[in-house]
Amino acid sequence: MANHLTSIRYLLTDVDDTLTTDGQLLPETLSALYRLNDAGIEVIPVTGACAGWCDQMIRLWPVPAVIGENGAFYFERDRTGKVEYHSWDTPEVRFASQQRLLSIAEDAMARVPALRLAKDQSYRLSDVALDHGQDVHGISAVDIDRTLATFHKAGANARASSIHINAWFGDYSKQAMTHRLLQYKYDLNELSIQRHVAFVGDSPNDESLFAYLTHTFGVANIGRWLDRMTHHPRYLLAQSGGVGFNELATLLLQAQRLAN
Ligand SMILES: [Mg+2]
């Protein structure tokens, strides 16, 4: 596989259960982020995580940009450490959409009472997140589907990650904001994107990037979701979560050494 990876310059990565292992960022995974950065491979988290958490990532981790809330925004940091926020929608549109989503979420929680608003809801700029697997347990796949249907019937987008159900209005997605970031920040055309960019993820909310990119990877824990997904990663890693991410980092760094 290494020969196919010599051209990779950007590694997009999901965060929950892709970078994290049982909810934690392991030392070897953090170390992998630094090893990739030191080798000139830019790592860009692409996550459903809230704006508050993304602000922490962009300031604390060796990454030049973060796409958050499933594509609602990207944050970038320049070489002096200054952070800029770029949002898909205007603040007014964002606020109005989020208020409507909170109202639909009330309906969803009336239908599936065990669901809860994610504890990080207050730190979200655009979307609404319901917890089905973070601090809440025992929500069935049927109840997840029922909740997705509640949002879809109200005209909202909704996707399940391994821990949350995220709902949003508008035409952004992880894929759409990734495309915007790669064009605006890095001036990459479509051919360059397919050649130089890889993505790794673990769940159905990563599908838009599995469908879009040529070089795609799934950490091993994606196995439980594969029969519910239309677009699969091209390669499956042997290890789960952040250990699988570390496995991929080693493959990319080996490929880079082969090329040089
Ligand atoms: Mg995930």
Side-chain angles (χ1 to χ4, degrees):
M1 190 201 304
N3 286 339
H4 301 292
L5 302 179
T6 53
S7 62
I8 301 303
R9 301 285 175 269
Y10 307 90
L11 175 59
L12 311 179
T13 178
D14 173 57
V15 174
D16 288 300
D17 296 313
T18 299
L19 274 184
T20 63
T21 306
D22 298 327
Q24 305 285 303
L25 184 63
L26 298 178
E28 58 263 46
T29 311
L30 183 59
S31 170
L33 293 175
Y34 279 96
R35 286 192 292 134
L36 289 163
N37 185 60
D38 291 347
I41 296 175
E42 305 217 18
V43 181
I44 300 172
V46 184
T47 174
C50 67
W53 192 1
C54 293
D55 186 274
Q56 176 263 326
M57 287 178 211
I58 191 68
R59 293 177 193 279
L60 208 59
W61 293 1
V63 298
V66 176
I67 293 174
E69 295 185 22
N70 288 313
F73 55 77
Y74 70 88
F75 299 165
E76 63 176 332
R77 181 169 41 80
D78 68 19
R79 292 185 192 285
T80 70
K82 185 181 171 206
V83 170
E84 297 274 5
Y85 281 20
H86 303 269
S87 194
W88 189 269
D89 289 318
T90 64
E92 296 76 19
V93 169
R94 267 193 345 233
F95 180 77
S97 296
Q98 198 177 42
Q99 293 305 304
R100 284 171 63 203
L101 291 163
L102 286 166
S103 158
I104 303 164
E106 292 295 327
D107 287 348
M109 288 187 285
R111 284 163 213 253
V112 182
L115 284 171
R116 294 284 179 275
L117 274 179
K119 288 201 178 79
D120 65 13
Q121 182 59 47
S122 300
Y123 315 123
R124 292 183 174 274
L125 286 176
S126 295
D127 70 355
V128 161
L130 290 171
D131 180 0
H132 74 77
Q134 189 174 40
D135 296 321
V136 165
H137 297 288
I139 307 274
S140 68
V142 171
D143 279 341
I144 290 174
D145 285 343
R146 185 176 296 155
T147 304
L148 293 170
T150 300
F151 283 105
H152 289 154
K153 275 184 205 146
N157 304 299
R159 297 305 305 254
S161 76
S162 54
I163 57 168
H164 291 162
I165 293 161
N166 296 87
W168 69 99
F169 283 112
D171 55 357
Y172 66 80
S173 65
K174 282 188 169 185
Q175 185 275 332
M177 191 51 118
T178 291
H179 193 258
R180 185 179 281 191
L181 168 71
L182 293 172
Q183 276 192 323
Y184 287 4
K185 183 175 174 65
Y186 296 108
D187 201 23
L188 295 184
N189 62 25
E190 198 56 44
L191 201 65
S192 301
I193 289 172
Q194 296 305 331
R195 182 169 162 74
H196 295 305
V197 181
F199 173 68
V200 57
D202 81 298
S203 75
N205 74 338
D206 300 317
E207 258 188 291
S208 66
L209 284 167
F210 292 140
Y212 173 49
L213 291 170
T214 303
H215 302 289
T216 57
F217 297 82
V219 284
N221 43 303
I222 199 171
R224 64 181 281 231
W225 297 104
L226 286 177
D227 62 356
R228 294 160 56 82
M229 293 168 59
T230 308
H231 302 287
H232 294 167
R234 190 161 170 196
Y235 301 105
L236 288 180
L237 296 158
Q239 308 286 329
S240 290
V243 183
F245 180 88
N246 200 24
E247 179 188 340
L248 174 58
T250 300
L251 285 173
L252 293 178
L253 294 168
Q254 280 172 349
Q256 195 186 60
R257 278 195 291 275
L258 274 180
N260 291 335

